[in-house]
Amino acid sequence: MSKTSLTYRDAGVDIDAGDALVDAIKPLAARTMRDGVLAGIGGFGALFEVPKRYKEPVLVSGTDGVGTKLRLAFEWARHDTVGIDLVAMSVNDVLVQGAEPLFFLDYFACGKLEVGVAARVVGGIAKGCELAGCALIGGETAEMPGMYPPGEYDLAGFCVGAAEKSRLISGADVRPGDVVLGLASSGVHSNGYSLVRKIIERAADRLPLTLDGMDFRDAVMQPTRIYCKPVLALLQDTPVKAMAHITGGGLVENIPRVLPEGTQGVLRRAAWRQPELFDWLQREGDVPASEMLRTFNCGIGYVLVVAPEHAEVAQRSLREAGEQCLCIGEIAARADGAPAVDVI
């Protein structure tokens, strides 16, 4: 009995589709090129030279994904902005230590490659890189039949940045009396979506048409705000003692990561307006206030700690760069048994 010859396509992997995606990606990546790129997409390894303006460069790296926000992207066919989320989650982390994001690589995995969908996702990644000022210089597209249900994919991202060794920001100099500044978020960002989805399922036929002046689905899927350019500009001439990216764990678990022993962040809850989206989530899910603060950013996506004498100029610089910057609290001495962050 003769055997039928098989090809990789018969096994579920379409090499031609992969080639078509690479062709679609190249012009998107080209828009992100910057100084330091020696060789980008297409090679076995991407090449990048650390800019010569750094005297003692320290490389700072970060990696992350988009989490279960992808479930809503699949259900609502919202593929254009999750790539921005992917970039934001890594570049904002790298920024915390004062590093400039240099380059980014992505990993896109699916069961069957749909070139149009993948190109929309990568288009978002390229947009995120433009917003962050880093180059999209490589990545991997993995078509793995049987590993993912039809229409679904997974994303991971990797960022490398650089900072001058003498200007690394560690939080070691934070003292009682320092000022806590908060930069507004653009919605939920990319954390807490398992709870968001649960609340949406519970609300079912009670979903609002609009929230925060936009379509409900647009409000839920707003991409994570990228803070790199305004913050890096601030760091050029204004001392900043500590910074925190408000991701999983919210304000009460991320700020302590950059505070020295014996200090406490005291946040004034009335200092910022919580967007309607968070009000709706809290109401529909009957979520306790303490749970909201340790799950979501609640309207503050990035935090900076500065000396009192630098607070006004820092706020002015960030506002002029287009950020909503508010004084949301101060640093105090931490008493025995007191929480690292107290929201009053």
Side-chain angles (χ1 to χ4, degrees):
M1 184 175 180
S2 62
K3 295 181 179 179
T4 302
S5 61
L6 294 173
T7 66
Y8 211 3
R9 187 193 296 266
D10 294 325
V13 179
D14 190 341
I15 296 175
D16 292 335
D19 292 341
L21 179 59
V22 171
D23 288 341
I25 289 172
K26 285 182 176 178
L28 302 176
R31 295 204 300 266
T32 73
M33 291 301 101
R34 51 156 294 161
D35 63 302
V37 177
L38 301 181
I41 289 176
F44 286 95
L47 306 180
F48 193 96
E49 181 180 41
V50 177
K52 291 181 173 56
R53 66 177 179 276
Y54 289 101
K55 297 177 181 178
E56 290 185 286
V58 174
L59 298 181
V60 182
S61 60
T63 183
D64 212 330
V66 179
T68 60
K69 189 174 186 176
L70 287 180
R71 300 292 328 166
L72 294 177
F74 305 151
E75 293 172 22
W76 295 347
R78 300 292 182 105
H79 306 291
D80 299 283
T81 58
V82 289
I84 299 176
D85 285 304
L86 182 69
V87 174
M89 297 306 290
S90 287
V91 298
N92 286 342
D93 277 358
V94 165
L95 177 65
V96 162
Q97 288 159 293
E100 168 196 11
L102 298 177
F103 61 87
F104 189 86
L105 299 96
D106 69 286
Y107 175 78
F108 179 99
C110 60
K112 179 176 174 53
L113 182 60
E114 298 179 38
V115 176
V117 169
R120 288 166 66 188
V121 172
V122 177
I125 294 172
K127 176 63 175 177
C129 287
E130 288 185 72
L131 292 171
C134 65
L136 176 60
I137 60 173
E140 170 69 7
T141 300
E143 188 175 20
M144 300 184 287
M147 290 292 289
Y148 298 91
E152 297 189 5
Y153 53 82
D154 199 10
L155 290 174
F158 313 87
C159 176
V160 173
E164 198 67 67
K165 187 175 182 179
S166 62
R167 302 191 68 180
L168 284 169
I169 296 173
S170 67
D173 295 332
V174 171
R175 299 287 183 271
D178 287 339
V179 175
V180 180
L181 303 178
L183 302 185
S185 67
S186 54
V188 182
H189 284 184
S190 197
N191 293 102
Y193 273 85
S194 294
L195 180 54
V196 170
R197 288 168 45 241
K198 192 74 174 177
I199 294 169
I200 290 174
E201 289 173 9
R202 175 187 286 190
D205 57 355
R206 300 191 308 277
L207 298 179
L209 294 176
T210 62
L211 281 175
D212 296 306
M214 64 188 79
D215 173 82
F216 173 74
R217 291 185 176 185
D218 289 341
V220 172
M221 295 299 288
Q222 283 186 90
T224 306
R225 191 165 183 83
I226 292 174
Y227 300 99
C228 298
K229 290 182 179 179
V231 172
L232 288 172
L234 172 70
L235 296 179
Q236 291 300 309
D237 50 25
T238 304
V240 173
K241 293 188 173 187
M243 297 189 287
H245 181 202
I246 309 306
T247 55
L251 289 159
V252 296
E253 293 190 6
N254 282 290
I255 294 176
R257 297 168 65 181
V258 298
L259 297 183
E261 289 290 331
T263 61
Q264 176 191 51
V266 179
L267 307 185
R268 297 184 299 277
R269 189 62 189 82
W272 75 94
R273 184 188 71 84
Q274 180 168 274
E276 290 178 352
L277 174 57
F278 294 106
D279 293 337
W280 181 83
L281 290 168
Q282 186 169 10
R283 183 173 61 252
E284 287 295 330
D286 194 23
V287 183
S290 59
E291 186 71 8
M292 289 292 295
L293 287 167
R294 69 191 298 264
T295 302
F296 301 119
N297 65 61
C298 294
I300 299 295
Y302 199 86
V303 163
L304 306 93
V305 179
V306 299
E309 63 268 24
H310 297 132
E312 184 176 345
V313 67
Q315 283 186 277
R316 183 168 61 250
S317 172
L318 291 164
R319 288 171 177 169
E320 289 175 352
E323 298 297 328
Q324 296 180 51
C325 180
L326 298 165
C327 176
I328 62 171
E330 56 277 327
I331 302 299
R334 183 181 180 183
D336 291 341
V341 170
D342 189 16
V343 183
I344 59 176

